[in-house]
Amino acid sequence: MSRARARPAGTLVLDTEGLAKAVGRRREAIEWLALARADDLRVVTSAANVVEVSHPTINRPALEWTLSRIVVEPVTELIARRAAAILADADLHGHVHAIDAMLSATALAATAPVTVLTSDPEDISALCGTSVTVIKI
């Protein structure tokens, strides 16, 4: 008899810096990922963050290995529309905040409780409000 896997206890969301630190096997990111695994948290990032973290000097095999162990959420039309609304609500706009808004929309759509690991806690907090816990990494 097979047992269905229980729903995750929450979600850990990685922004571009969190993803880069996971790829680089930086201690703080690895500790968070180990805690997430131990607590049965779903670990996600936005597809937009995969684009942002990809640059000529990234360790491609390490990136692929890391991505194989987390969920990369697509930027669907629904996420894009929510990101645009989030930006408008925060009185922000433009490419400077676009990827943060897509990540925030992804975080707000995730299973609560949600924790976002980010290099930009002020912007993510402004975009997500009190719906998520924001931690600087």
Side-chain angles (χ1 to χ4, degrees), residues 44-130:
V44 305
T45 195
S46 168
N49 294 95
V50 175
V51 174
E52 190 175 35
V53 80
S54 298
H55 53 77
T57 62
I58 190 91
N59 180 331
R60 219 48 192 161
L63 174 62
E64 295 302 327
W65 184 88
T66 302
L67 293 175
S68 74
R69 281 151 179 78
I70 66 174
V71 177
V72 178
E73 292 289 354
V75 179
T76 62
E77 181 180 354
L78 182 62
I79 291 292
R81 288 178 180 271
R82 187 156 191 197
I86 289 167
L87 282 174
D89 289 347
D91 202 26
L92 300 170
H93 61 85
H95 72 279
V96 171
H97 302 288
I99 291 179
D100 283 347
M102 287 181 272
L103 179 78
S104 295
T106 299
L108 291 169
T111 301
V114 177
T115 301
V116 178
L117 299 183
T118 178
S119 61
D120 195 2
E122 295 81 17
D123 280 354
I124 299 300
S125 292
L127 295 168
C128 289
T130 60

Side-chain angles (χ1 to χ4, degrees), residues 10-13 106-116 131-134:
T11 309
L12 178 66
V13 181
T106 299
L108 291 169
T111 301
V114 177
T115 301
V116 178
S131 299
V132 304
T133 300
V134 178

